[in-house]
Amino acid sequence: MKKLIVITLLLILGFYLMSTFISVPFGAERIAGVKDYYLKQSPETLKVSNVVTAIVVSFRGFDTLGEVTVLFLASTALGSILYRRRTHHSGLNPQREAVVSSTLVRTGAKVLFPMIILLGAYVFVHGHLTPGGGFQGGAIIATGFLLILISYRKFFINHNVLTWVEALAGTTFVLIGIGGFIFANQNNFLENFLPEGTLNNLISGGVVGIIYIAVGFKVGAEITGILDTLLTIKEAGLNPDEN
Amino acid sequence: MQIFDYIGYFLISVGAIFLFLGGLGVFRMPDFYTRVQAGTKASTLGAMSIILGVGVLQPEWFVKTLVIVIFLAIANPLSSHALARGTHKAHQKPIVKDEKIEDAYEIAEHKAEEKNIK
C-alpha cells in the first residue's frame, strides 16, 4: 500500500515535471536571449570584463548572498558539532603538539605563506577582470593558513578575530546591497551606485569589485575557521573524562 | 627580438623533455622513494624552465613568471621532502637488493630515542 502511494506520487510529480520540460524547446532559442543579454550588458553597462563575475555578483547577486549564507551556516554547524571535542582552555591539542614537523617544512612554510596570501588577495581583488574571484581567493588564503597550521603545531588562531572578519565582510555585502536601494538610479537591492570606471581597469565595475573583496575575506575566514576546528578536535574516546 | 624567441622556445622544449622524463620515472621506478625523487627533480626543472620560457617569449609577463618560478623552486622540493619524511616515519622500507645496506637515518633516530628514554 505504502509503495503504491509512493509510486503514484512519483508518477504525478514526473508528469508535471515532464509537461514543464516538454514546453522548453530543444535548440535553445529561448536561452540565447538571456546569454546575449549578459554578454552585451556586462561590458557595456556594468563595465565588468569578466562576464562570469558580472553574472555571479551583479545579475544574480542575491543568489551569491544566499551562497555566502549557506557557507556561513555550514561552518557554524561544523563548529557547533565539533565544539564539545575541542580543548577548551587554550584551543591547543596535546596530541597535535606532539608531532613535530621538520625544520625544512617550518622554514619553507614561513617563506611560502606570504606568497600564498598574496596570490589569494590578487585573485579576489582582480575578480572582475580575470578568472577567479572571492570564493577562489578565499580558498587560496585558507590553504596558506592550513600550511602554517600543519607546520607549526602551536600556531594559535584567534577565533574571535575570524568571527569579526566574517561578520564585517558579511555586513559589508548586505550594506552595499542596501546602498543600492538608497543611492542607485533604479532603487534595487544590490544595484550599482558607484561610478563604473573604464573597462579592463582595476577600478571598474562599481560595486562588483568591492563585493568580491568582501566575499574573499568572508570565505577565507570561514574556511580557515573550519580547518582550525577540524585540526584542534581530539580523537574521540582518548580522554573519556573530558566528554 | 628574434634571439629571445629562440631562447624561449629552447627553454620550453627542455622543460617538456624533463617533464616527460619525470613522468617516465614515476611510472618506471620500483618503490616510493625513487619515484618521489624522479618526480620531484625532473618535474621541478621542467616546470620551471617551461614557465621561464613563457616569460622570455612574453616579456611583459616576465616578472610574474619569475615569481612563479621562485614559488615552484621552494614549494616543489619541500612538498616531496614532507612526503618522503612522512613515508619514512610510517616505516615504509625502500626496495634494496643488497641486504647489508643500512638506514643510517633510522639508526640515528633510534639512538636519539633511546637516549631520551634513559
Side-chain angles (χ1 to χ4, degrees), chain A residues 100-102 104-105 107-109 111-112 115-116 118 122, chain B residues 64 67-68 70-72 74-76 78 81-82 85 89:
Chain A
V100 186
S101 39
S102 71
L104 267 175
V105 172
T107 318
V111 178
L112 290 178
M115 294 170 95
I116 296 172
L118 180 71
Y122 183 91
Chain B
K64 279 183 194 174
V67 173
I68 298 172
I70 293 168
F71 182 84
L72 274 179
I74 300 168
N76 219 345
L78 204 64
H81 155 75
R85 190 168 178 270
K89 286 248 175 209

Side-chain angles (χ1 to χ4, degrees), chain A:
Chain A
M1 190 61 203
K2 218 175 186 179
K3 275 183 185 171
L4 207 69
I5 295 172
V6 170
I7 288 169
T8 324
L9 282 174
L10 277 177
L11 279 177
I12 293 169
L13 191 70
F15 173 74
Y16 279 105
L17 277 177
M18 277 307 292
S19 61
T20 312
F21 281 124
I22 279 171
S23 66
V24 177
F26 282 108
E29 276 304 310
R30 290 164 63 157
I31 305 168
V34 181
K35 178 196 73 184
D36 289 342
Y37 178 80
Y38 283 157
L39 284 176
K40 201 168 176 300
Q41 289 292 310
S42 62
E44 283 177 9
T45 325
L46 288 169
K47 307 283 184 196
V48 176
S49 36
N50 185 351
V51 182
V52 176
T53 305
I55 293 170
V56 167
V57 181
S58 191
F59 294 118
R60 304 185 49 164
F62 195 61
D63 185 58
T64 305
L65 187 60
E67 277 164 22
V68 168
T69 318
V70 166
L71 198 65
F72 170 71
L73 277 177
S75 90
T76 313
L78 200 69
S80 57
I81 289 170
L82 298 175
Y83 184 73
R84 294 186 81 196
R85 293 224 207 119
R86 280 179 60 195
T87 40
H88 288 281
H89 308 296
S90 60
L92 293 179
N93 185 346
Q95 260 185 320
R96 203 173 133 206
E97 278 178 57
V99 189
V100 186
S101 39
S102 71
T103 322
L104 267 175
V105 172
R106 274 178 281 152
T107 318
K110 221 187 270 179
V111 178
L112 290 178
F113 177 69
M115 294 170 95
I116 296 172
I117 296 296
L118 180 71
L119 175 69
Y122 183 91
V123 167
F124 72 65
V125 167
H126 288 73
H128 55 296
L129 300 174
T130 53
F135 292 97
Q136 293 86 342
I140 293 170
I141 285 180
T143 57
F145 276 103
L146 177 65
L147 182 65
I148 285 288
L149 279 171
I150 60 174
S151 38
Y152 292 86
R153 307 290 163 142
K154 292 183 181 177
F155 187 78
F156 176 61
I157 287 182
N158 193 344
H159 275 257
N160 287 334
V161 176
L162 286 184
T163 313
W164 272 102
V165 169
E166 224 179 289
L168 281 177
T171 317
T172 314
F173 198 153
V174 177
L175 280 180
I176 288 171
I178 294 171
F181 266 132
I182 303 165
F183 302 112
N185 294 328
Q186 290 175 317
N187 291 343
N188 285 328
F189 189 66
L190 285 166
E191 190 78 36
N192 183 25
F193 58 90
L194 291 172
E196 277 94 359
T198 40
L199 192 65
N200 287 333
N201 275 17
L202 180 59
I203 299 172
S204 68
V207 294
V208 171
I210 300 170
I211 287 176
Y212 243 9
I213 290 172
V215 171
F217 272 101
K218 196 166 161 57
V219 172
E222 268 160 8
I223 301 181
T224 308
I226 290 175
L227 290 172
D228 190 49
T229 317
L230 283 173
L231 280 169
T232 37
I233 55 167
K234 282 185 172 178
E235 296 245 335
L238 199 84
N239 276 348
D241 49 299
E242 273 204 30
N243 265 347

Side-chain angles (χ1 to χ4, degrees), chain B residues 2-62:
Chain B
Q2 196 78 23
I3 186 95
F4 282 113
D5 281 7
Y6 286 131
I7 294 173
Y9 287 127
F10 175 72
L11 282 172
I12 289 177
S13 346
V14 167
I17 291 165
F18 270 96
L19 277 183
F20 170 73
L21 289 176
L24 195 69
V26 171
F27 191 64
R28 290 287 298 162
M29 289 294 183
D31 67 340
F32 177 78
Y33 298 98
T34 44
R35 274 182 193 173
V36 86
Q37 71 97 15
T40 311
K41 283 182 188 169
S43 73
T44 307
L45 180 61
M48 277 166 70
S49 74
I50 280 184
I51 291 164
L52 210 63
V54 171
V56 171
L57 282 179
Q58 296 280 338
E60 65 262 38
W61 296 350
F62 188 72

